Amino acid sequence: MELVTFLLFSTLEVLAVFVFMMAIFRENPMDFIWQTVVVSILMGLQSHFLRGLELGYLATVINLLCYVLFLATIVRLPLIWSAIISCTGFFLYGIVQAILFNVVGGELLQLVTSILFLVLSYGLYRFGFGFTADYDLLRFRWEKIMVVSVILVAFVLLAITMYIQESWANILFFGASSVLFLYYAVRKEREDMSD
């Protein structure tokens, strides 16, 4: 039951961050909602198991990396813009959550912050507030190869870390995430070649 509760609030939190980071840059998060739900569940699972291994500090770094890879492979934004958008949304969410920490805590903190950011995101997107950017200005020529390389290297390093900790569940979750990101990266490359 503890896993289900943790996963529910963690998934809601990841979804709220993603929706906010998309809305603040005037992208429609609903275009990628099912992919977001799948990745949110995977991120919640890995976060739960990392905390169980007392490696919770890695969860934040891995989640940020997952946001960047999600935007680069699934939303198809340039890698630099994926990092800018991910950091902006992630850190703003973190700041508000830190402020609310003294008022509420634990799962209630996740719930309150998530609802607040979902409402804020709706308002931003509905009324056209946020930033617009010319994404092609910061696109690298070898970006697709770089994205695939980052995914593979990150998975190998995390798999080694988890193997040393004997966490087979984490290896499976990281593997599933890597396969999903690689699928979209390869699909993107094929679609670009056919255009």
Side-chain angles (χ1 to χ4, degrees):
M1 191 61 191
E2 182 218 338
L3 173 61
V4 173
T5 306
F6 181 91
L7 196 55
L8 176 68
F9 289 103
S10 179
T11 301
L12 179 62
E13 187 173 51
V14 171
L15 269 168
V17 173
F18 172 75
V19 168
F20 175 71
M21 68 177 59
M22 293 291 287
I24 201 169
F25 282 89
R26 298 179 69 180
E27 298 288 333
N28 186 357
M30 298 312 288
D31 291 343
F32 308 97
I33 198 65
W34 76 265
Q35 295 98 326
T36 307
V37 171
V38 170
V39 172
S40 297
I41 292 169
L42 289 171
M43 288 169 69
L45 285 167
Q46 67 84 18
S47 183
H48 175 75
F49 285 106
L50 282 176
R51 280 175 174 72
L53 294 168
E54 296 181 12
L55 294 172
Y57 60 91
L58 278 179
T60 303
V61 175
I62 293 165
N63 283 348
L64 188 54
L65 179 63
C66 284
Y67 286 124
V68 172
L69 292 174
F70 185 94
L71 292 175
T73 60
I74 296 174
V75 181
R76 299 179 181 193
L77 298 178
L79 190 58
I80 295 294
W81 275 110
S82 297
I84 290 168
I85 292 169
S86 295
C87 289
T88 302
F90 192 77
F91 292 138
L92 286 174
Y93 190 93
I95 289 167
V96 171
Q97 200 167 58
I99 292 167
L100 292 174
F101 181 74
N102 293 325
V103 181
V104 292
E107 293 162 349
L108 184 59
L109 176 63
Q110 288 178 296
L111 180 64
V112 168
T113 315
S114 297
I115 290 171
L116 177 66
F117 269 77
L118 287 171
V119 169
L120 179 61
S121 300
Y122 175 78
L124 285 171
Y125 191 77
R126 174 83 170 90
F127 297 108
F129 294 116
F131 305 101
T132 56
D134 184 0
Y135 295 126
D136 289 327
L137 287 179
L138 291 176
R139 191 177 295 274
F140 297 124
R141 216 170 70 164
W142 298 100
E143 191 166 290
K144 293 170 191 149
I145 294 168
M146 207 164 38
V147 169
V148 170
S149 300
V150 167
I151 294 168
L152 292 173
V153 169
F155 174 68
V156 169
L157 291 175
L158 289 168
I160 290 168
T161 304
M162 295 303 108
Y163 177 75
I164 292 169
Q165 294 287 328
E166 296 185 24
S167 175
W168 295 103
N170 266 315
I171 294 172
L172 292 174
F173 297 130
F174 289 127
S177 299
S178 296
V179 166
L180 181 71
F181 291 136
L182 284 170
Y183 166 76
Y184 277 98
V186 170
R187 192 176 99 173
K188 175 184 173 185
E189 173 131 1
R190 286 185 183 154
E191 286 176 3
D192 288 348
M193 291 174 79
S194 66
D195 286 343

